[in-house]
Amino acid sequence: MRPLLCLTPLLLLAACAPVPATSPGNAARPALTVPAFDAAFSPDGVAWVDAGRACVARVPSYRPVCPRLPGPAVAVAWNGGDAWVALPGAGMVLTLDLAARSVPVGR
């Protein structure tokens, strides 16, 4: 009876151990979650993502430009006067306006 009492805390600890959701051989891609709203501000204007759609409004007019994108956008940022958008479903980041540039991204 005494050896069983010594193992009880170990059994309780093992019951709390995390279990992987997928087996190691089945590497499923995580689901893409699109944020409800995200924005980035710069002296050049504002860029935002609303439910997967990205837009940019530049100073002084602040007229929104919402280009057609090859997938849902999840984040925007400014770099050197360019507004960039992240498209993880398409595996790239690209500029929202001005000179069209894209950068492939990976793991």
Side-chain angles (χ1 to χ4, degrees):
M1 183 74 174
R2 193 164 185 81
L4 184 60
L5 288 175
C6 293
L7 294 177
T8 303
L10 294 176
L11 293 174
L12 291 174
L13 185 60
C16 296
V19 177
T22 60
S23 63
N26 183 11
R29 291 183 95 175
L32 176 66
T33 56
V34 178
F37 187 81
D38 183 35
F41 300 90
S42 162
D44 295 315
V46 60
W48 67 93
V49 174
D50 187 14
R53 184 174 180 197
C55 300
V56 62
R58 290 194 173 266
V59 296
S61 68
Y62 286 103
R63 184 172 311 141
V65 175
C66 305
R68 189 177 187 98
L69 300 172
V74 297
V76 289
W78 289 89
N79 185 22
D82 292 324
W84 289 82
V85 61
L87 307 170
M92 69 174 78
V93 294
L94 52 95
T95 54
L96 279 172
D97 66 341
L98 300 180
R101 288 184 284 165
S102 66
V103 179
V105 295
R107 294 183 185 199

